[in-house]
Amino acid sequence: MSAEPVILIIDDDDVLGRSLMRLAERTFPQHLCLWARDGIAGVDLAREHAAHLRLIVLDIALPRMDGNLAAAQIRALVPQAAVLPFSAHAESWPMLRELGCAPPVQKHPDMVVALARLMREAYAEPPAPLPELPWVRALRQSGALLVEASRQD
């Protein structure tokens, strides 16, 4: 495991995922950049690299575990890392903000243009603490069950 800071991209789209990886590598050249293609793999990588993880760029529409559940798991595992979510569906944005994520990015074809700046801003801003609320605990428990079930497959 590397001692350098880590940036984690979680996106299931091959074209966008590759673009985000290249963008992260250019924006944060002294960082190890990793890519997970679903929420469960993203949570596993976050757990594995927790000590050095600094930023997670997170798609909300993901297979196996959606980004909302992944965000709750990652925020609990790695409270020092910023989570920058992106989604075409604004209805989940208030919940993501309450989880302590950076302001969500509207998913559209030109979003990559502003993403380097937004990644730097999210990286520089200390994340808010994960709130201890009943719905957050329920979200974390649901995500933990999905992760555990995936290990039994």
Side-chain angles (χ1 to χ4, degrees):
M1 192 175 329
S2 173
E4 62 194 318
V6 176
I7 307 295
L8 175 59
I9 306 298
I10 306 175
D11 192 311
D12 61 319
D13 182 277
D14 284 340
V15 173
L16 184 55
R18 275 193 291 280
S19 294
L20 292 173
M21 276 294 290
R22 283 191 303 271
L23 180 63
E25 289 166 346
R26 282 194 312 268
T27 305
F28 301 99
Q30 303 303 316
H31 292 61
L32 173 64
C33 297
L34 304 171
W35 177 18
R37 289 173 173 82
D38 66 59
I40 291 174
V43 170
D44 286 342
L45 279 173
R47 181 179 290 111
E48 181 181 339
H49 296 276
H52 303 287
L53 191 56
R54 297 296 173 258
L55 175 66
I56 300 94
V57 180
L58 175 65
D59 187 7
I60 298 306
L62 292 168
R64 299 192 339 141
M65 173 190 280
D66 79 2
N68 298 306
L69 288 174
Q73 296 303 304
I74 291 168
R75 290 295 339 280
L77 288 168
V78 196
Q80 80 280 1
V83 175
L84 178 61
F86 63 94
S87 175
H89 307 289
E91 61 273 2
S92 67
W93 293 5
M95 178 179 66
L96 291 163
R97 290 297 288 151
E98 197 164 347
L99 285 172
C101 295
V105 177
Q106 174 71 41
K107 190 173 188 178
H108 58 82
D110 297 327
M111 85 172 187
V112 175
V113 172
L115 209 50
R117 175 184 54 80
L118 295 170
M119 288 168 64
R120 282 191 297 272
E121 288 174 5
Y123 187 100
E125 190 68 32
L130 183 66
E132 279 300 321
L133 299 170
W135 70 268
V136 174
R137 282 192 297 276
L139 203 61
R140 289 182 51 212
Q141 288 171 347
S142 296
L145 289 172
L146 275 174
V147 170
E148 185 60 35
S150 76
R151 290 190 180 122
Q152 295 173 6
D153 289 342

